[in-house]
Amino acid sequence: MAARAYWQGQIRLALVSIPVEIYSATKSGAKIRFNQIHEPSGKRISYEKVVPGIGPVDRDEIIKGYEISKGNYVLLEDDEIEAVKIESKRTLELVQFVDACEIDPLYFEKPYYVAPQDELAEEAFIVLREALRKAKKVALGQLSVRGSEKLVAIKPCGKGLLLETLRYADEVRQGQAFFDEIDDAKPKKELLDLANTLIEQKSAPFDAGEYEDRYVDALRKLIDKKAKSKSKKAIIEDVDEQDTSGGSNVIDLMAALKKSVGEDKPKKAAKSKKSA
């Protein structure tokens, strides 16, 4: 099945407009999703829209409301919301160009692929792509989609463009408040040298295919085992975890680093995936 465009419109650079289509660059097919089940009957739990003192209501009786004070709402029809005119609903205007390194990774949210809408748009699309590549710049603009206006960054990606939505400044917490209690002291040279050696031993080119979601794999094995057993009895398996309750003095750290550096290391990291 052909992918469905997340957004269709035009990228505008000064007087040049380029019809484009934007597609999600990520997928969630590997995730395991659970349903809530009524255990005595084994049936799935459903949810109803309910008004206190009235009971269940029909979907066509529901509209959107914004709470301006406790229990008081401004009611808005879908047509009223849709009629709000923002230029970025159909046009993504490139308003600034910056070096990629100027954007803190904290601001990056989600990636999308950008492709020309048709053959007529290809020439201008290619010019923009190659101009960004030559200048080594990232283009910034704002895009209105699905009820919100997104700040976005665009850069070359192979034969196409990659668009990444960015968080606004008020959506990002400043990390310094969490780091205030950390000691300013510099580590001892021997400890730092051992840590750097360990980093060098484990350094290799990034390949996302080398990592797998071990939690999803373990869940699938549990589901398969439970399905075959046809039993309601819980299947609990102990997993060995490293003891993190021990001391953290310099002697222990030194010994741990020396032992780590001394072990044989494979060229590629073992398959794993950090939890979000």
Side-chain angles (χ1 to χ4, degrees), residues 185-248:
K186 299 293 183 182
K188 291 187 176 181
K189 184 178 183 303
E190 187 176 2
L191 289 172
L192 193 57
D193 289 344
L194 284 168
N196 285 335
T197 300
L198 187 58
I199 289 171
E200 289 175 7
Q201 288 181 346
K202 287 182 170 287
S203 293
F206 174 68
D207 179 4
E210 288 294 315
Y211 296 81
E212 295 176 357
D213 192 329
R214 297 177 298 177
Y215 183 67
V216 168
D217 290 343
L219 275 179
R220 291 192 187 281
K221 289 178 182 178
L222 172 61
I223 291 168
D224 289 341
K225 185 180 293 187
K226 197 72 182 281
K228 290 175 182 177
S229 71
K230 296 181 180 180
S231 169
K232 291 186 178 181
K233 185 178 179 181
I235 299 175
I236 307 296
E237 296 181 356
D238 291 332
V239 177
D240 292 333
E241 293 284 356
Q242 289 185 336
D243 182 12
T244 58
S245 61
S248 58

Side-chain angles (χ1 to χ4, degrees), residues 80-96:
E80 292 178 293
I81 297 173
E82 183 61 29
V84 174
K85 301 296 183 183
I86 298 180
E87 188 177 6
S88 61
K89 291 183 77 170
R90 288 290 175 265
T91 301
L92 168 52
E93 184 168 5
L94 305 183
V95 297
Q96 187 181 355

